[in-house]
Amino acid sequence: RRGNTSRKCGKVRLIWPSVRRRCLQPAFDLVRTGQGMVFLCLVCWPFMIMLTGLLVPILLIDEALQYFYDSVVSKWEVTAGGEEILCAVLYALKAWYMVAKISVKQSFRLAKRQYTRAASRPGGLSQLALDVGCGALDVSKKTAAYIAADPLIVYTIPRDTVVAFWGQVETVRHSMHA
């Protein structure tokens, strides 16, 4: 089955969707029904002739690559594995993105609430600015102390983040087969 198979059994196709089906089919449907025929004939005919000359080689190459991919995808284990891994990575990235988006929204709400509360008090904004500056200085001092105590922390934190992310990817992959 060809067509929109971008989400088939927990896999993401490693090749782009068919240009013919995605881009040109809606235009052909308009022409076939006659809705866009007058517009295309009267207004766009020079552009359509140039576009046809450019698109024919692209469509031929695209169809050949799509046919080759569809005929080979079931024979290569690495392709099936790549599709599963790509799908799992996308699911894990979506989850991390949603968590980060929620965290940023909540942080902005908290900052806005603190700002409005400080603005309502006399001298509150200067105190808020002082608190934010002191907090930033304190965080930078603690970060410098952590790095001075363990210089490998600059390596271990990103490594642990990647390991945690890959663990989520593997969990998603295994849940697809369960």
Side-chain angles (χ1 to χ4, degrees):
R1 174 182 172 263
R2 290 188 72 199
N4 188 7
T5 57
S6 60
R7 217 185 249 186
K8 178 177 87 177
C9 300
K11 296 180 181 180
V12 175
R13 287 174 56 99
L14 297 178
I15 195 170
W16 57 89
S18 174
V19 173
R20 177 177 49 87
R21 291 188 189 272
R22 277 289 168 101
C23 300
L24 296 178
Q25 197 64 43
F28 289 145
D29 292 341
L30 278 177
V31 170
R32 217 177 307 130
T33 59
Q35 295 172 353
M37 188 61 136
V38 174
F39 175 74
L40 288 176
C41 289
L42 295 177
V43 179
C44 298
W45 66 269
F47 177 70
M48 293 301 290
I49 290 173
M50 290 188 310
L51 189 63
T52 303
L54 291 174
L55 280 181
V56 167
I58 293 172
L59 285 173
L60 290 175
I61 292 170
D62 179 60
E63 286 297 320
L65 287 173
Q66 294 286 339
Y67 177 77
F68 174 74
Y69 182 82
D70 287 340
S71 66
V72 171
V73 72
S74 62
K75 297 176 186 171
W76 289 349
E77 285 294 320
V78 69
T79 307
E83 287 179 342
E84 285 181 5
I85 289 173
L86 183 61
C87 183
V89 166
L90 287 175
Y91 284 152
L93 280 174
K94 284 179 185 178
W96 280 40
Y97 172 74
M98 286 189 301
V99 168
K101 186 177 171 183
I102 291 169
S103 299
V104 167
K105 278 185 177 180
Q106 291 297 327
S107 298
F108 278 132
R109 285 181 187 156
L110 176 66
K112 184 178 175 182
R113 232 179 299 134
Q114 287 182 341
Y115 176 78
T116 55
R117 187 177 294 161
S120 67
R121 291 182 301 208
L125 288 179
S126 60
Q127 183 62 38
L128 180 65
L130 184 64
D131 289 345
V132 168
C134 289
L137 185 62
D138 189 41
V139 166
S140 63
K141 278 196 244 178
K142 286 182 180 179
T143 303
Y146 285 137
I147 292 173
D150 184 16
L152 289 179
I153 202 166
V154 177
Y155 162 75
T156 56
I157 288 177
R159 183 202 60 200
D160 293 344
T161 304
V162 169
V163 167
F165 178 75
W166 191 251
Q168 287 182 343
V169 168
E170 287 297 317
T171 302
V172 169
R173 265 189 88 194
H174 291 302
S175 70
M176 288 179 193
H177 296 290

